[in-house]
Amino acid sequence: MNNSMDSTFFSENRQALYNRLEKGSIALTFSGKAPRKTNDQYYPYFTERNFLYLTGVEQTDSTLMLAAGDSLNETLFIPPPDSMIERWQGTRVKANEATDISGIKDILHTKDFDMRFNRAIMSGNYHTVYLPLFKYTADENDGPEYRFVRYIRERFPHVVIKDLIPHMKALRLIKKPCEIEALREATEDTREGILAMMRASKPGMYEYQYKAIYDSTLMNRGILTPSSGPIICAGKNIFLIHYDAYTGQALDGDMVLNDVGARRSHCVTDVSRAWPCNGRFTEKQKLIYNAANDACNHAYTIIKPGLPMGEVDATIKKFCFERLKELGICKSFEEVGTYIWHGGAHHIGFDVHDVVAVNQTTPLAPGMVFCVDAGIYHEEWGIGLRLEDNCLVTETGCENLSASIPRGIAEVEDIMSSAR
């Protein structure tokens, strides 16, 4: 499958960022590097998403410098060729390749960065530096952007430091046509992985066997890196939201829950499905499953431009509560937290939980893509599940991008029975 996410996409992203920056400022993003795992082993490298969104280049230890003067001056700094390092660690991106990918013509080596940056600041033309100052938790180690903050404060105390993240959040909120096309392609990959697990499912299977089937299906379609670590669990493990041990066994009567997605052209899907490992829902499983499924279906009837983002989650929660109340499980809304443990919507894109400019009051707009996620967990019954699909807001309503992935009880049972 081909996708139109070429150098034009990244060039437009940089121009859009330039249009938001103060004139007389410099914006910096860093590609990052793989953290050390143990001794001389490292974790797999994963390019920092904002750097990737602006360049498309997946190369460690690289820096993008955007100088916002009367026009945009853009320079990409990459590690130089090194035959010995490349012999051990793989081929490095060359200057002409970086230009082809990113559209940036001024490609220098990393050793040139300090000189180029210092010269720009000392010219007196730049008074502000934007850096992506984001930490998910306060105890995270400082990345290159925080270390560079200290460098600026020591060398150039007159320079104003500002956070680049709010601008990146705004740019990444509305998806472009090539991103939406990539999500459609990734959804097809995700669908095939989920169907393969459903068809193979039987009592006695271990979670790692389901995962092996899913991983193999994606790899055979050219997907080497999924959207995130697949969540595939059975039995009591379904009550562990971000479970990733894969050591449990699906016994007869158990539900199997997955929360998975594929990655195409840097864009990721996030889809959850649940099914009984033996292929037949029990009556109690049907009650919980239909409550979540109906909540998702209802959400797709009300999602449209102008609706506050917070209403998506609130609608799903209220709908699930009403169904649980009808079933005699919940008596008051205050009890709903016993059975609903997480929110019902989050954005996707270059990240599986995309970092975008949105809050509870943000009105939905065409081009937004987020998950509609209904999860109900009834520990006393031993039933827990979530149904999650990817929603594209359109001009008049919304489109469920993952609607082709089976969700109805009859459809799931038919698929599983036909494989036997």
Side-chain angles (χ1 to χ4, degrees):
M1 299 180 189
N2 294 319
N3 189 275
S4 58
M5 193 175 291
D6 56 17
S7 62
T8 301
F9 171 78
F10 303 108
S11 295
E12 290 176 350
N13 291 344
R14 294 192 300 275
Q15 185 64 43
L17 177 57
Y18 165 74
N19 293 338
R20 298 180 61 90
L21 299 177
E22 295 179 24
K23 298 303 181 285
S25 66
I26 292 173
L28 300 172
T29 58
F30 305 89
S31 69
K33 64 192 305 178
R36 190 170 68 86
K37 186 176 182 179
T38 182
N39 197 20
D40 61 347
Q41 296 182 37
Y42 291 79
Y43 288 100
Y45 171 64
F46 191 69
T47 310
E48 199 279 326
R49 297 293 95 177
N50 289 311
F51 177 91
L52 187 64
Y53 185 80
L54 294 171
T55 69
V57 174
E58 298 181 275
Q59 174 63 64
T60 64
D61 301 299
S62 301
T63 303
L64 173 66
M65 176 174 159
L66 301 180
D70 293 332
S71 60
L72 173 61
N73 295 305
E74 46 189 30
T75 307
L76 180 62
F77 302 86
I78 58 175
D82 187 310
S83 59
M84 184 58 68
I85 291 177
E86 292 181 63
R87 178 183 296 171
W88 287 93
Q89 299 179 1
T91 304
R92 287 177 167 179
V93 174
K94 304 301 187 288
N96 64 311
E97 296 169 334
T99 295
D100 290 343
I101 295 168
S102 66
I104 299 172
K105 296 180 180 179
D106 189 15
I107 309 292
L108 299 177
H109 292 148
T110 49
K111 65 180 178 61
D112 302 315
F113 170 69
D114 284 353
M115 180 184 67
R116 177 64 69 91
F117 176 81
N118 292 348
R119 182 185 299 167
I121 295 298
M122 290 187 291
S123 72
N125 295 325
Y126 302 97
H127 51 74
T128 300
V129 174
Y130 288 89
L131 290 158
L133 303 176
F134 173 80
K135 287 188 177 184
Y136 191 72
T137 59
D139 60 348
E140 289 181 24
N141 293 329
D142 287 350
E145 57 281 340
Y146 284 92
R147 293 193 291 271
F148 204 70
V149 166
R150 293 194 290 270
Y151 175 84
I152 294 173
R153 285 175 175 165
E154 291 173 0
R155 296 286 300 273
F156 308 107
H158 64 284
V159 169
V160 176
I161 297 172
K162 292 190 176 182
D163 189 4
L164 185 64
I165 293 298
H167 295 294
M168 296 307 303
K169 285 183 176 182
L171 294 179
R172 290 170 58 178
L173 178 58
I174 303 298
K175 271 52 181 180
K176 295 181 179 179
C178 63
E179 293 177 274
I180 295 170
E181 179 59 27
L183 289 170
R184 293 187 191 279
E185 294 178 0
T187 298
E188 293 182 31
D189 302 313
T190 306
R191 178 180 185 273
E192 292 307 308
I194 291 174
L195 285 175
M197 288 190 289
M198 282 186 182
R199 290 171 178 146
S201 183
K202 62 183 179 180
M205 281 184 65
Y206 284 89
E207 294 159 347
Y208 57 75
Q209 292 176 303
Y210 285 101
K211 183 177 184 295
I213 292 167
Y214 178 77
D215 289 344
S216 175
T217 302
L218 262 61
M219 286 190 175
N220 284 330
R221 296 174 66 86
I223 306 297
L224 304 183
T225 306
S227 60
S228 61
I231 299 168
I232 302 171
C233 44
K236 293 182 178 179
N237 293 332
I238 58 182
F239 299 112
L240 306 174
I241 303 300
H242 282 175
Y243 172 84
D244 62 357
Y246 312 120
T247 55
Q249 187 178 26
L251 303 178
D252 196 17
D254 281 349
M255 294 285 291
V256 176
L257 169 65
N258 75 252
D259 190 337
V260 298
R263 184 186 304 276
R264 283 278 180 184
S265 297
H266 314 307
C267 292
V268 302
T269 56
D270 188 12
V271 178
S272 294
R273 291 294 185 266
W275 61 86
C277 70
N278 61 15
R280 287 290 170 186
F281 288 84
T282 66
E283 292 306 310
K284 282 188 173 180
Q285 287 171 349
K286 287 180 180 179
L287 294 176
I288 299 298
Y289 191 98
N290 280 330
N293 193 27
D294 291 346
C296 290
N297 290 334
H298 175 67
Y300 283 113
T301 68
I302 60 105
I303 293 173
K304 61 182 179 180
L307 182 75
M309 186 69 211
E311 283 301 305
V312 179
D313 180 62
T315 296
I316 293 171
K317 184 172 290 187
K318 290 174 184 175
F319 192 98
C320 287
F321 163 70
E322 293 297 335
R323 285 302 174 88
L324 293 175
K325 184 179 179 181
E326 291 172 8
L327 297 172
I329 295 172
C330 264
K331 294 181 180 179
S332 68
F333 189 73
E334 287 68 29
E335 299 175 6
V336 77
T338 303
Y339 306 97
I340 298 177
W341 297 350
H342 53 74
H346 66 80
H347 287 250
I348 59 172
F350 269 49
D351 271 312
V352 72
H353 283 240
D354 222 20
V355 181
V356 295
V358 67
N359 56 41
Q360 295 294 89
T361 62
T362 302
L364 301 185
M368 290 184 181
V369 184
F370 55 85
C371 293
V372 170
D373 185 358
I376 302 176
Y377 306 88
H378 197 312
E379 291 184 280
E380 185 179 345
W381 288 4
I383 301 169
L385 57 91
R386 57 185 173 274
L387 300 174
E388 182 177 22
D389 284 278
N390 303 156
C391 171
L392 166 66
V393 181
T394 65
E395 295 291 339
T396 58
C398 68
E399 177 189 353
N400 179 0
L401 296 177
S402 46
S404 66
I405 303 177
R407 186 149 54 86
I409 284 179
E411 189 179 11
V412 170
E413 288 187 339
D414 286 348
I415 288 169
M416 298 183 72
S417 64
S418 66
R420 283 161 170 72

